[in-house]
């Protein structure tokens, strides 16, 4: 098990998977827990109750999306509104919406599933926010390419992100201008 998907821009691309993308529900908990365990995470007994709580969360500043294949969750992605505390360090990341992590089942990678989850979260935010952020390990080129396709741009490498450490590398803070994205996708529809 590797933390990051080996970076192979031109290889291993597969036919898109016909997934159903939706907000996570209690029936997804078991499959979600297995995805985290597969990535070398915690024991399933620890992960399961966390997902069980998360899918029941009634918090407008938090969202968990799943992609289901044949009714079974094979990927998930989160979106969370993160505050900037009044007494924080000067380079603390800005307040705003953050895309916080996407994991796709190893057996179903490179089938466009992370792209679908990213599009779903952007579409959710378009009427709600002017921008969205995302933080990546500089070594995670696959994830950086995935987000760059949507127009995410590097903002800085000098920032403090609470509760995040960048395994073996440097972190990058990216931002997507949602107003520009809305104009561009409207243009695409008219074209
Ligand atoms: C990164 C990850 C989420 C991508 O999921 P995925 O469903 O396979 O990605 P998609 O098929 O939607 O790919 C979308 C784009 O991302 C980029 N990408 C994805 N995997 C890649 C790889 N192995 N090498 C190079 N680029 C890659 C490509 O630009 C790709 O577009 P293309 O296939 O048309 O070239 C998945 O590999 C994963 O779960 N990795 C482990 C967890 C992780 O690192 N998550 C991200 C940070 S929290």
């Amino acid at each position: 098990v590797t933390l990051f998907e080996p970076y192979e821009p031109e290889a291993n691309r597969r036919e898109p998977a016909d997934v159903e993308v939706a907000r996570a529900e209690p029936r997804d908990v078991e499959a979600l827990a297995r995805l985290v365990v597969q990535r070398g995470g915690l024991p399933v007994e620890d992960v399961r109750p966390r997902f069980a709580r998360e899918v029941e969360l009634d918090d407008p500043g938090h969202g968990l999306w799943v992609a289901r294949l044949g009714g079974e969750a094979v990927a998930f992605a989160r979106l969370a509104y993160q505050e900037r505390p009044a007494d924080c360090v000067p380079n603390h990341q800005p307040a705003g919406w953050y895309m916080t992590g996407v994991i796709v089942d190893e057996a179903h990678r490179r089938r466009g599933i992370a792209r679908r989850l990213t599009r779903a979260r952007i579409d959710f935010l378009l009427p709600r926010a002017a921008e969205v952020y995302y933080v990546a390990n500089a070594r995670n080129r696959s994830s950086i390419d995935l987000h760059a396709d949507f127009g995410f741009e590097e903002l800085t490498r000098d920032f403090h992100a609470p509760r995040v450490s960048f395994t073996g590398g440097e972190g990058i803070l990216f931002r997507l201008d949602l107003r520009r994205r809305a104009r561009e996708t409207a243009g695409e529809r008219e074209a």
Side-chain angles (χ1 to χ4, degrees):
V1 177
T2 52
L3 196 55
F4 303 134
E5 182 70 1
Y7 183 62
E8 290 170 341
E10 303 305 330
N12 301 336
R13 198 176 284 154
R14 296 156 74 195
E15 280 296 305
D18 188 15
V19 286
E20 172 203 3
V21 172
R23 299 296 281 262
E25 295 174 18
R27 65 179 163 127
D28 300 309
V29 165
E30 200 55 44
L32 291 170
R34 279 203 304 271
L35 287 171
V36 170
V37 173
Q38 178 192 62
R39 202 186 173 207
L42 303 157
V44 73
E45 301 74 42
D46 293 357
V47 182
R48 199 185 284 125
R50 291 188 198 178
F51 275 117
R53 276 196 299 276
E54 191 176 351
V55 299
E56 300 285 5
L57 261 188
D58 187 17
D59 177 353
H62 184 93
L64 179 63
W65 271 260
V66 291
R68 300 190 192 104
L69 204 53
E72 168 137 327
V74 293
F76 69 86
R78 294 189 175 96
L79 192 62
Y81 191 90
Q82 300 189 354
E83 302 286 352
R84 191 170 192 276
D87 58 351
C88 63
V89 292
N91 70 344
H92 191 286
Q93 66 182 28
W97 285 98
Y98 284 77
M99 298 212 171
T100 55
V102 30
I103 296 188
V104 178
D105 187 331
E106 284 170 10
H108 297 290
R109 288 191 185 165
R110 219 60 195 278
R111 301 180 70 190
I113 297 178
R115 188 177 279 134
R116 288 280 308 277
L117 284 164
T118 305
R119 186 172 302 130
R121 288 173 294 164
I122 290 173
D123 288 348
F124 170 83
L125 283 181
L126 279 177
R128 293 175 170 84
E131 53 203 1
V132 57
Y133 299 93
Y134 139 76
V135 161
N137 188 311
R139 289 168 57 220
N140 199 345
R141 304 259 320 262
S142 305
S143 175
I144 291 171
D145 281 10
L146 158 73
H147 291 85
D149 258 4
F150 287 91
F152 275 91
E153 290 171 340
E154 179 169 339
L155 205 58
T156 182
R157 296 182 184 218
D158 174 20
F159 67 102
H160 171 73
R163 297 184 303 276
V164 184
S165 67
F166 298 101
T167 315
E170 177 177 38
I172 311 178
L173 177 63
F174 292 90
R175 179 176 60 190
L176 172 66
D177 181 336
L178 289 169
R179 301 232 165 91
R180 196 170 81 199
R181 164 98 191 156
R183 284 196 299 274
E184 284 169 3
T185 47
E188 275 166 27
R189 272 184 217 116
E190 280 158 21

